[in-house]
């Protein structure tokens, strides 16, 4: 494929699981992403679902651990799993801290030096990657959904709320819903976005949903045994914000489940069916 380097492709549930690399204009360097093409993609354009992973993760994490390919093959959904940040940036302080920098892009467009030069994951996921998919893969760009886990759940919610004309369905697993109010966001946002807290609101799902709702129901699953539940995630804040903003929300809490991909793989089928229904596959 012109402009895309194929790292590997494997047969999977009669479809193709591929890993790719390209030069990103948004992030000004190489970016990796994974794509699962169901069998139906050889015959027609298919709806596409983007899965955004969390802190420390790569394009391989959800691809390998979530167990989404079997049902995606059945439903005829293309799955896209991007990396969580640019890599090899050579920016001082970009590595060595799992909560910030490489592997922790927080799906924002950084405005502060030196991060603004490379860390533009919001534009990458919301605009550049969908355009790349439309150019090189058999996707139906009019039927796109987005989901994610933890930091990626934060990305999915904020990108969907800000680009509701581009995404027709949204869900999240254990998302960071109020980064402006929790330690993860309060650590990363000043460095990426500056000290003006008002600017942080564009990347806070609770703030966004009060002023602009999503046309459709948002699905969120949260484990009650999640070690980050009370300090970093606080789903009750999004529940309240959705009630105030008039947003349709299904928030499901599950006793005994933690923050791991064992939790995600337990409920991934519900999420795929949620998106498939909204995207016209059910």
């Amino acid at each position: 494929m012109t402009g895309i380097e194929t790292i590997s492709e494997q047969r999977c549930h009669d479809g193709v699981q591929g890993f790719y690399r390209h030069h990103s204009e948004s992030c000004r360097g190489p970016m990796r992403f994974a794509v699962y093409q169901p069998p139906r993609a050889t015959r027609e354009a298919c709806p596409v679902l983007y899965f955004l992973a969390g802190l420390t993760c790569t394009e391989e994490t959800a691809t390998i651990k979530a167990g989404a390919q079997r049902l995606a093959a059945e439903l005829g959904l293309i799955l896209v799993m991007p990396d969580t940040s640019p890599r090899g940036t050579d920016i001082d302080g970009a590595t060595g801290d799992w909560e910030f920098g490489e592997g922790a892009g927080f799906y924002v467009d950084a405005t502060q030096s030196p991060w603004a030069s490379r860390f533009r994951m919001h534009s990458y996921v919301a605009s550049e990657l969908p355009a790349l998919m439309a150019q090189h893969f058999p996707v139906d760009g009019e039927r796109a959904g987005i989901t994610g886990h933890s930091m990626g759940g934060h990305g999915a919610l904020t990108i969907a709320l800000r680009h509701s004309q581009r995404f027709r369905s949204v869900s999240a697993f254990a998302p960071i819903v109020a980064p402006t109010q929790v330690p993860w966001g309060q650590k990363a946002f000043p460095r990426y976005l500056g000290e003006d807290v008002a600017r942080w609101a564009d990347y806070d799902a609770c703030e966004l949903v009060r002023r602009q709702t999503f046309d459709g129901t948002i699905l969120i699953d949260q484990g009650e045994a999640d070690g980050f539940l009370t300090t970093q995630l606080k789903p009750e804040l999004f529940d309240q914000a959705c009630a105030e903003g008039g947003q349709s929300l299904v928030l499901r809490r599950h006793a005994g489940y933690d923050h791991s991909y064992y939790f995600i793989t337990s409920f991934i089928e519900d999420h795929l069916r949620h998106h498939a229904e909204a995207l016209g596959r059910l």
Side-chain angles (χ1 to χ4, degrees), residues 117-193:
S117 64
R118 297 292 302 276
F119 285 77
R120 298 182 54 81
M121 290 299 295
H122 181 91
S123 289
Y124 179 72
V125 172
S127 300
E128 184 176 3
L129 189 55
L132 189 77
M133 290 299 300
Q135 182 179 359
H136 294 284
F137 295 89
V139 300
D140 181 347
E142 297 299 314
R143 294 189 290 170
I146 190 166
T147 187
H149 172 231
S150 193
M151 178 186 73
H154 142 75
L157 292 173
T158 56
I159 289 170
L161 286 166
R162 289 179 59 179
H163 301 275
S164 58
Q165 77 285 358
R166 190 167 298 156
F167 297 97
R168 285 172 50 177
S169 58
V170 60
S171 71
F173 297 89
I176 306 169
V177 298
T180 63
Q181 301 182 54
V182 301
W184 275 335
Q186 291 168 348
K187 176 179 181 178
F189 279 18
R191 299 171 73 181
Y192 285 140
L193 303 172

Side-chain angles (χ1 to χ4, degrees), residues 51 61-69 261 264-266 268:
F51 190 112
T61 310
T63 306
I64 295 171
K65 293 183 176 182
Q69 290 92 338
Y261 270 78
I264 293 173
T265 194
S266 299
I268 190 68

Side-chain angles (χ1 to χ4, degrees), residues 51 66-68 71 173 264-273:
F51 190 112
L71 188 59
F173 297 89
I264 293 173
T265 194
S266 299
F267 299 101
I268 190 68
E269 179 169 348
D270 293 345
H271 284 248
L272 289 181
R273 292 192 181 280

Side-chain angles (χ1 to χ4, degrees), residues 26-150:
S26 299
C27 298
R28 298 181 185 176
M31 287 292 295
R32 301 190 306 265
F33 62 99
V35 178
Y36 177 70
Q37 300 180 68
R40 200 177 306 185
T42 62
R43 307 188 302 272
E44 62 185 47
C46 294
V48 57
L49 176 62
Y50 295 84
F51 190 112
L52 309 184
L55 292 163
T56 76
C57 295
T58 71
E59 76 285 355
E60 293 185 325
T61 310
T63 306
I64 295 171
K65 293 183 176 182
Q69 290 92 338
R70 179 193 61 79
L71 188 59
E74 177 185 322
L75 296 172
L77 294 175
I78 290 177
L79 305 177
V80 182
M81 288 70 69
D83 201 353
T84 55
S85 79
R87 304 285 175 170
T89 61
D90 294 325
I91 296 175
D92 187 31
T95 60
D97 184 346
W98 70 276
E99 296 176 319
F100 182 81
E102 294 186 22
F106 274 89
Y107 302 99
V108 304
D109 282 352
T111 59
Q112 303 301 297
S113 179
W115 315 104
S117 64
R118 297 292 302 276
F119 285 77
R120 298 182 54 81
M121 290 299 295
H122 181 91
S123 289
Y124 179 72
V125 172
S127 300
E128 184 176 3
L129 189 55
L132 189 77
M133 290 299 300
Q135 182 179 359
H136 294 284
F137 295 89
V139 300
D140 181 347
E142 297 299 314
R143 294 189 290 170
I146 190 166
T147 187
H149 172 231
S150 193

Side-chain angles (χ1 to χ4, degrees), residues 9 11 13 90 101 118 145 160 187 208 213 226 264:
E9 290 183 333
R11 193 75 168 166
H13 293 289
D90 294 325
R118 297 292 302 276
K187 176 179 181 178
L208 287 170
T213 57
D226 191 320
I264 293 173

